[in-house]
Amino acid sequence: MSAKIKKNTLPPNGKTLIKRGLTGFFSNNAFVLISFFVPLLAMLLCFAIRNFAPFGDQQILVVDLWHQYYPFLVDFQDKLVSGQSLLYSWSNGLGGNYLALMSYYTASPINFLTALVPAEYLIEFLMLSVCVDVGCAAGFMSIFLKKTFHRDGLPLVIFSAGYGCCAFFMGYYWNIIWLNTVAMLPLVALGMVMLWREKRFCLFTFSLALSVIANYYVGLFACIFVALGFIGYSIMYWNGIKDFVARLGRTALFSALALMLTAFMTIPAYYALGLTYSANNTFPSYWNMYYNWSELMSQTLDFVKPSTKENLPNIACGAAAIYFGIIYLSTKKILWRAKGFAVALLAFLTVSFNVNVLDYMWHGFHFTNMIPHRFAYLFSFVLLTIAFRAYTLIENAKIWDVLIGLFGSVMLIVISTTVKAGAPLWGTSIMIALLFTATLLYVYRIYPKIVLDLICFALVCAECIITCYIGITEVGSTGTSNYPEGEEKTADIIRAMDSFEENTTDMWRAEMTNTQTLNDASLNDYNGVSQFSSMSNVSVTKFLEEFGGQGWQGGNRYSYHESTPVMNTFLNVKYLISRNGTYGNGDYVSPVYQNGNEVLLKNNYYVPMGFVTDEALLDYTLEERDGDVFSDLNPFDKENEFFSLATGVDEDVMEVIEPIGVNTSDGNNGYVTINR
């Protein structure tokens, strides 16, 4: 993928002219800035059309963004504003290693700007940050293409916008914890080129480090891509064993330096991961394929609905990537070694999507819980890069090159008819037909190159808007009202609770009688029990499952629902908040504050976090079982056991009630009446 600078682009002295000052900056980087703004504005426009706040009453909080990412971001903002520790936190999941949680959920650089954002506008900030991430992905892609191939102009925008609006972003934009790292991939790639071509290491070292810091999981894919890129560069530009060893040494040295810079985040994360359910993995004992190959190929089509939680990999990145990516293979000025490696790399990624063992290895020797093929954005990056390279040499194209691009694209569409229908087929057909016609007319010199650039630019702009709209529609939305549930009333209840305890020295916990999210403590700012996090300690999940809480080891979660006085006592729950005015255990809790239908309840039998027990409690053991599968486990028996061991009282504190009859007439509200 070598490139040369045309003579007429250089001044008489042979040095590139660079304009200085602010005006010079905009002049020198005009197309990089356009690359940034096209996807950003397309995304923002579609959010406005779909009535997302502040343009309407919808918001981007869906799936894990509702239950995890936004509550954690609220908590993170509060820590930044109040100056709390980022090392440990009591606000979620009975307390835990906050730096480890931060390394996965909130370490993206853009999140630190929340310290400057009023809390009431955090959701709008989140939506805007998604648009900025999409724009940055395209802008960084433009910088990579410009610096790597020494080209400028509208072609930068045409292929960079394809990365910013690729199906990976459109299907997973709600997964905000990944976006910064995905957006920075072009900078890592440019750093690789500069390290190998110019022996300059700064960009490579710091971009790779920042990619891992922003999210170590997706940062892993960037590290693997460095290894694959090294192999490809060595094949394409082989210059003897001595040069190879020197390049390998530089790559290893500065990769190690980059990872050392991340140690303050990755080491705590590593040890925390050892305590999670994901630490127990078994290498697949057999090989199998997830899909048929035509399904995978069809995912490259234009206007395909992106996967949002499950299903096929998100690899679509525009019709121009398909059409000119195929022309890349017939372009004579490109080395056969470069063509061979590009095909091999795309083929390897495709096989990795389909073969369970490779998929397992890519994801850190782990099968993902939803959101499969998390490295799919690498495919889009590679395809767009080779397509851009082919486009930069289009002035040398022959009629056969144009026809090969058409033939390959038509074959892809025909194969896809077996698994796809509707917009992806006819939309891609129209786009390919327009690209073919425009390129053919240029090859015949009917008009100059700038006309071809403008036609392709117009098509890509339309494509970005349509793709963004399809993605936002497919991901869905939620309403802005009543999130957090109760809003001002709940906030008032929590303020009252804190005021009651402002002179208290011991630590205490609170919980909701019914949860809205699985991280209500982070969302509402109190020290709670529940947690839904990939960093959840699986031993805590097991304990709470046995103790009568609601847990799911494989789902990395445990949550509190109004429970027994025994559980409240040992979990240090001093207050309960009922947001609908209903609650049980009236003999054990007392209302101490009320706002409308919301009630603050105080535990009459509260025990501080630290208390003395009988040493027999050391004999308490968790039941041996297969994952989340229970045999005849009765949580009330486990509470009796725990209470007896802790207190030395040899008498059951929980009594079994045998019902004579059950009245479910009020079953719609979840209540039953037991006659005994």
Side-chain angles (χ1 to χ4, degrees), residues 314-477:
N314 288 325
I315 55 177
C317 51
I322 298 171
Y323 181 69
F324 292 105
I326 295 171
I327 291 179
Y328 176 86
L329 301 178
S330 67
T331 303
K332 291 183 178 180
K333 288 203 170 187
I334 297 175
L335 297 173
W336 278 106
R337 285 180 292 178
K339 295 176 183 178
F341 174 72
V343 171
L345 182 54
L346 290 173
F348 174 67
L349 290 170
T350 304
V351 172
S352 297
F353 299 144
N354 208 17
V355 176
N356 66 321
V357 173
L358 291 176
D359 181 54
Y360 176 84
M361 294 171 66
W362 265 99
H363 292 100
F365 295 91
H366 170 66
F367 284 121
T368 63
N369 179 22
M370 297 200 316
I371 323 176
H373 320 304
R374 301 179 181 187
F375 56 96
Y377 66 97
L378 300 176
F379 184 98
S380 299
F381 175 81
V382 174
L383 183 58
L384 284 162
T385 299
I386 65 173
F388 175 82
R389 182 66 182 123
Y391 191 85
T392 62
L393 299 172
I394 200 69
E395 65 268 15
N396 301 311
K398 306 298 182 184
I399 182 62
W400 295 112
D401 298 316
V402 180
L403 290 173
I404 287 172
L406 176 64
F407 177 76
S409 301
V410 170
M411 287 297 296
L412 174 64
I413 294 169
V414 171
I415 292 171
S416 300
T417 57
T418 61
V419 292
K420 286 284 191 295
L425 292 177
W426 59 257
T428 305
S429 299
I430 292 173
M431 292 294 292
I432 294 296
L434 292 172
L435 288 170
F436 166 73
T437 304
T439 308
L440 182 65
L441 293 176
Y442 168 71
V443 169
Y444 275 113
R445 300 300 187 264
I446 304 300
Y447 46 62
K449 177 69 164 27
I450 185 60
V451 176
L452 176 62
D453 290 347
L454 289 170
I455 292 172
C456 292
F457 173 71
L459 291 175
V460 165
C461 287
E463 189 178 59
C464 285
I465 294 172
I466 296 171
T467 300
C468 289
Y469 186 85
I470 292 173
I472 291 171
T473 302
E474 196 67 16
V475 169
S477 63

Side-chain angles (χ1 to χ4, degrees), residues 36 73 76 102-114 125-126 128-138 140-141 163 168-169 172-188 206-219 222 377:
F36 169 78
L73 187 62
F76 182 67
M102 177 181 165
S103 69
Y104 190 69
Y105 289 103
T106 60
S108 293
I110 199 170
N111 288 340
F112 286 86
L113 296 177
T114 59
F125 169 83
L126 200 59
L128 182 60
S129 72
V130 169
C131 298
V132 171
D133 277 321
V134 169
C136 284
F140 294 155
M141 184 70 172
Y163 187 65
F168 190 91
F169 275 105
Y172 297 143
Y173 72 79
W174 59 269
N175 212 308
I176 58 170
I177 62 175
W178 296 349
L179 300 188
N180 278 189
T181 302
V182 177
M184 284 189 286
L185 177 69
L187 293 184
V188 175
F206 290 107
S207 62
L208 183 61
L210 193 56
S211 295
V212 175
I213 290 171
N215 185 274
Y216 66 82
Y217 192 7
V218 183
Y377 66 97

